[in-house]
Amino acid sequence: MQCTFKIGRETKSLCQKKIISLLSPVKEKSISFCAKHLAFRCLEKKLDNFKHSGGLMKTHHCSAGFQSKFTVLPGEVDRYQGIWVDLTKIGEQLISKNTFPSTLEASLKLWQIQGITSAWLKVSIFQSALIADAAEHGFTFHHAEGSIATLSLWMDKSKKTKIPRFATHQMGVSGMVINNDTHEILVVKDKNRPYQLWKFPGGLSDLGEDIATTAEREVFEETGVKTEFQSVLAFRQQHNSPGAFGRSDLYVICRLKPLTFDLHPCDEEIAACRWMPVDQLKTEVQATSLTHTMAELAIQGLEHGFSQVDIISYQMASIYKGMKFHIFLRACK
Amino acid sequence: MQCTFKIGRETKSLCQKKIISLLSPVKEKSISFCAKHLAFRCLEKKLDNFKHSGGLMKTHHCSAGFQSKFTVLPGEVDRYQGIWVDLTKIGEQLISKNTFPSTLEASLKLWQIQGITSAWLKVSIFQSALIADAAEHGFTFHHAEGSIATLSLWMDKSKKTKIPRFATHQMGVSGMVINNDTHEILVVKDKNRPYQLWKFPGGLSDLGEDIATTAEREVFEETGVKTEFQSVLAFRQQHNSPGAFGRSDLYVICRLKPLTFDLHPCDEEIAACRWMPVDQLKTEVQATSLTHTMAELAIQGLEHGFSQVDIISYQMASIYKGMKFHIFLRACK
């Protein structure tokens, strides 16, 4: 069957060759036809108008009177020319086990012509059967959590992938609660650790939680002591940390001021809990060298003022509207 | 059909009631029978011997002469009583679309009796059809990357989940490269940013990469300037950062010493690149207030010595054999 398209002569001569080379591997005839048709229209419109128009079941009438249907996945294009498709919001019709492979194939052909650099699929855990179909086209897991997986595919084969990796660090925070009057520091022994050592109470940050908040929360949960954040004293980066699922660990030690002093340790987590003189902690056998270092820092602070050891923090406004962040640094004199 | 088991009287009286209540919801008769059988054996052996024996197609001969087969997923138990099952290493027989749902159901019943607190499934992207089956039993995505998804299920319903969340932070690092002789600082304008501002060259850490290495690498990639890490000057925690996939951003600004001075900016990423006098940067209109603050810190350092502003780092040995980490803090006097 012959079919002609109304397109500008210039566009045609520039793009016909590229389109044919791109589309020739498409197996199913009708898809190939439709994708070609769409591709011509897309290029004719100089790509721009088409970015947000990938849509459901469009019907096109060609000048030869031939009518066809094709399906492409609807998506939103980000500022890096990546297209985001949320399969959790698409009707069953487009993503049934029968239709999804051909729909995805046609979509990928179209996106390639449109100059899309990366394709992203958001999939519900109950739609997981579709993931293997996407994997056949080179999609891999970018990240997943709870009931949603996000797949990605770098499409611009002329360049190295620019898809950023998902979060690489967990954030652990502990609190060095210092009683400035007695020169004692709050220490605990964890119940569930292989090593029974005296350490500062602490734990992992919740998603979106400030360092200072984690410190105060964890100290209270583990020991029952209420505190107030003062400063950061130190932080540590550690790779391949056990229990971090192959990610790295950022561990921040905060200086906290105690507001209460009675101990109510958490039965489930804490084997022992006490106020220990800082001089004892400095050489305590059942403690790590990192803890010894921190005790020395506390002694410096108690003797010469904590302005000598603090990494202070203050809040600043982000360039992103309405957002703020904390900056941590040494105070300018 | 009647069937008796050779078990200790004490075990039987203690556990029978619990087993029956646990297993009664199992639908398929043969599985129910097998799981019961296995459960009795498991309890009889006081759970311990059974931890690592969840295995393939075990055949049991009961005293009544009844022979049955049952399948449970093989797994490894961690020190938190979590069981890890690697489906990528299990033969097709156990995890076919037909057998997997009943195998998983029987396994979960067994694990519950064994006191397993959490169950973990490692699934290849090409086995994704199994994920929806696991989701029917309450499994959710814990994390996923590349060709592997890891699902988790908290099984100890008497307690709140203790499954830690996957990594919550990405790590961005930039380098403040200071020419101590000319009092100039290396700044760039990114090509792909919505705001065209002067900033310090930098980017995201690769997985497992040290902060200092990221700083030196990114500065070289973006500007062609070779540098040597000196210290951390500041770090910032920001939640809901655009482009961080819902994770938080930890951004560390390092002080770097230039080893070369010629500029060879990266065409793809950098729109402009120059050495800017620190006094100009302090009030530069096309820069953020964070950049202004950092310029002030540099002036402090140039005038009074960088020991006044540095957050120094040194390497320490981890309690985990053969591992080391970097600690960042203010130098003790």
Side-chain angles (χ1 to χ4, degrees):
Chain A
M1 185 183 305
Q2 275 282 326
C3 188
T4 58
F5 303 98
K6 283 188 181 173
I7 58 166
R9 199 183 305 163
E10 191 192 7
T11 310
K12 188 173 176 180
S13 61
L14 276 171
C15 307
Q16 202 165 22
K17 204 170 164 186
K18 187 185 171 199
I19 291 166
I20 288 165
S21 72
L22 281 169
L23 293 176
S24 54
V26 177
K27 286 162 213 149
E28 205 184 323
K29 263 192 183 174
S30 61
I31 292 168
S32 171
F33 171 80
C34 298
K36 259 183 209 173
H37 185 179
L38 192 60
F40 274 112
R41 281 201 44 189
C42 161
L43 285 162
E44 191 176 32
K45 294 191 176 189
K46 303 269 189 286
L47 308 183
D48 297 329
N49 300 339
F50 244 73
K51 279 177 192 162
H52 293 269
S53 74
L56 313 181
M57 299 298 288
K58 299 194 178 183
T59 304
H60 284 263
H61 298 273
C62 305
S63 58
F66 179 86
Q67 186 181 338
S68 71
K69 284 184 174 183
F70 59 86
T71 53
V72 288
L73 295 164
E76 288 193 18
V77 177
D78 65 23
R79 65 191 175 90
Y80 303 105
Q81 290 296 102
I83 192 161
W84 288 78
V85 178
D86 189 345
L87 294 178
T88 69
K89 292 184 179 155
I90 293 180
E92 192 55 37
Q93 191 186 13
L94 263 188
I95 52 169
S96 76
K97 197 65 195 143
N98 292 333
T99 58
F100 183 68
S102 58
T103 307
L104 181 62
E105 191 174 354
S107 304
L108 286 167
K109 293 288 168 189
L110 175 65
W111 296 337
Q112 198 164 18
I113 292 162
Q114 286 178 322
I116 291 295
T117 56
S118 62
W120 301 76
L121 302 177
K122 215 173 134 187
V123 191
S124 150
I125 197 166
F126 293 103
Q127 299 173 319
S128 295
L130 304 178
I131 295 175
D133 292 328
E136 298 286 350
H137 287 283
F139 279 92
T140 55
F141 288 113
H142 184 267
H143 65 279
E145 192 168 55
S147 63
I148 301 290
T150 301
L151 309 180
S152 64
L153 172 68
W154 180 249
M155 295 187 64
D156 184 355
K157 303 301 179 198
S158 72
K159 288 180 190 156
K160 219 182 109 188
T161 178
K162 285 187 183 169
I163 293 177
R165 188 188 278 272
F166 191 63
T168 52
H169 286 70
Q170 68 178 19
M171 171 70 81
V173 182
S174 72
M176 192 149 99
V177 189
I178 306 174
N179 184 332
N180 287 7
D181 298 329
T182 64
H183 289 208
E184 286 175 320
I185 290 176
L186 181 61
V187 287
V188 298
K189 281 186 178 182
D190 266 1
K191 237 178 198 163
N192 308 308
R193 294 273 163 171
Y195 311 95
Q196 284 282 316
L197 300 175
W198 288 111
K199 57 185 278 295
F200 310 119
L204 289 181
S205 279
D206 291 334
L207 183 63
E209 188 176 49
D210 278 336
I211 287 168
T213 309
T214 307
E216 293 172 357
R217 176 180 60 73
E218 283 284 347
V219 167
F220 181 72
E221 283 176 9
E222 293 190 353
T223 69
V225 173
K226 287 186 189 167
T227 60
E228 190 177 275
F229 174 83
Q230 301 293 301
S231 71
V232 163
L233 289 172
F235 69 101
R236 182 198 67 181
Q237 182 183 44
Q238 185 166 269
H239 308 300
N240 304 310
S241 292
F245 308 99
R247 268 21 202 182
S248 299
D249 183 80
L250 221 291
Y251 171 61
V252 180
I253 302 167
C254 299
R255 182 164 73 83
L256 303 180
K257 178 179 150 186
L259 302 177
T260 65
F261 298 88
D262 287 349
L263 304 179
H264 303 283
C266 166
D267 275 350
E268 265 186 38
E269 290 186 51
I270 301 300
C273 172
R274 61 168 292 197
W275 291 98
M276 185 181 283
V278 63
D279 284 334
Q280 182 184 336
L281 186 59
K282 198 179 92 173
T283 55
E284 170 63 43
V285 178
Q286 292 179 56
T288 66
S289 50
L290 175 57
T291 306
H292 298 160
T293 303
M294 296 312 298
E296 275 175 38
L297 208 61
I299 291 168
Q300 291 284 328
L302 288 163
E303 286 178 3
H304 306 291
F306 280 103
S307 63
Q308 299 296 311
V309 296
D310 282 348
I311 298 165
I312 61 159
S313 86
Y314 57 94
Q315 201 177 54
M316 295 179 78
S318 164
I319 54 166
Y320 298 102
K321 201 182 166 189
M323 287 175 62
K324 294 177 184 228
F325 61 79
H326 279 92
I327 179 78
F328 299 79
L329 41 68
R330 289 183 58 173
C332 290
K333 297 272 160 60
Chain B
M1 185 182 303
Q2 274 283 324
C3 187
T4 58
F5 303 99
K6 285 186 178 176
I7 58 166
R9 199 183 306 162
E10 191 191 7
T11 310
K12 189 173 175 178
S13 62
L14 275 172
C15 308
Q16 203 165 24
K17 203 171 166 186
K18 188 184 170 198
I19 291 166
I20 288 164
S21 72
L22 281 169
L23 292 177
S24 54
V26 177
K27 286 160 214 151
E28 203 184 323
K29 262 191 180 174
S30 62
I31 291 169
S32 171
F33 171 82
C34 297
K36 259 183 210 174
H37 184 179
L38 191 61
F40 274 113
R41 280 200 46 189
C42 161
L43 285 161
E44 191 176 32
K45 294 192 174 189
K46 303 266 190 287
L47 306 184
D48 297 330
N49 300 339
F50 243 74
K51 278 179 194 162
H52 294 269
S53 73
L56 313 182
M57 298 300 288
K58 298 190 178 187
T59 304
H60 283 263
H61 297 272
C62 305
S63 58
F66 179 84
Q67 187 181 338
S68 70
K69 284 183 174 185
F70 59 85
T71 53
V72 288
L73 295 165
E76 288 194 18
V77 177
D78 65 23
R79 65 190 176 90
Y80 303 104
Q81 289 296 101
I83 192 160
W84 287 78
V85 178
D86 188 345
L87 295 178
T88 68
K89 293 186 179 155
I90 293 180
E92 192 53 38
Q93 192 185 12
L94 263 188
I95 52 171
S96 76
K97 196 67 196 144
N98 292 332
T99 57
F100 183 69
S102 58
T103 306
L104 181 61
E105 191 173 355
S107 305
L108 286 167
K109 294 290 168 191
L110 175 66
W111 296 337
Q112 197 164 19
I113 292 162
Q114 286 177 322
I116 291 294
T117 55
S118 62
W120 300 77
L121 303 177
K122 214 172 135 186
V123 190
S124 150
I125 197 166
F126 292 103
Q127 299 173 318
S128 295
L130 305 178
I131 295 175
D133 293 328
E136 298 286 349
H137 288 280
F139 279 90
T140 55
F141 288 112
H142 183 269
H143 64 278
E145 192 168 55
S147 63
I148 301 290
T150 301
L151 309 179
S152 64
L153 172 68
W154 180 248
M155 295 188 64
D156 184 355
K157 302 301 178 198
S158 71
K159 287 180 189 155
K160 217 182 110 190
T161 177
K162 285 187 182 167
I163 293 177
R165 188 189 279 273
F166 192 64
T168 52
H169 287 69
Q170 67 178 21
M171 171 71 80
V173 182
S174 71
M176 192 149 98
V177 188
I178 306 173
N179 185 333
N180 288 8
D181 299 328
T182 63
H183 289 208
E184 287 175 319
I185 290 176
L186 182 60
V187 287
V188 297
K189 283 187 177 180
D190 266 1
K191 237 177 197 164
N192 308 308
R193 295 272 163 172
Y195 310 96
Q196 283 283 315
L197 299 175
W198 289 110
K199 57 186 277 295
F200 309 120
L204 290 180
S205 279
D206 291 335
L207 183 62
E209 188 177 49
D210 278 336
I211 287 168
T213 309
T214 307
E216 293 172 359
R217 176 181 58 72
E218 283 284 347
V219 168
F220 181 71
E221 284 175 9
E222 293 190 354
T223 69
V225 173
K226 287 186 187 167
T227 60
E228 190 178 273
F229 174 82
Q230 300 294 300
S231 72
V232 164
L233 289 172
F235 69 102
R236 181 199 68 180
Q237 183 184 42
Q238 184 166 271
H239 309 300
N240 305 311
S241 293
F245 308 99
R247 272 15 207 184
S248 299
D249 182 81
L250 220 293
Y251 171 62
V252 180
I253 302 166
C254 299
R255 181 165 72 84
L256 303 181
K257 177 179 150 188
L259 302 177
T260 65
F261 298 88
D262 287 348
L263 305 179
H264 303 283
C266 167
D267 275 350
E268 265 185 38
E269 289 187 52
I270 301 300
C273 172
R274 61 169 289 196
W275 291 97
M276 186 181 283
V278 64
D279 284 333
Q280 181 184 335
L281 187 60
K282 198 179 94 174
T283 54
E284 171 62 43
V285 178
Q286 293 180 55
T288 67
S289 52
L290 175 57
T291 306
H292 298 160
T293 302
M294 296 312 298
E296 275 174 37
L297 207 62
I299 290 168
Q300 291 285 327
L302 287 164
E303 287 179 2
H304 306 291
F306 281 101
S307 62
Q308 299 297 311
V309 296
D310 282 348
I311 298 165
I312 61 160
S313 85
Y314 56 94
Q315 200 177 54
M316 295 180 77
S318 163
I319 54 167
Y320 298 103
K321 200 181 166 190
M323 287 174 62
K324 296 180 181 221
F325 60 79
H326 280 92
I327 179 78
F328 299 79
L329 42 69
R330 289 183 58 171
C332 290
K333 297 273 160 61

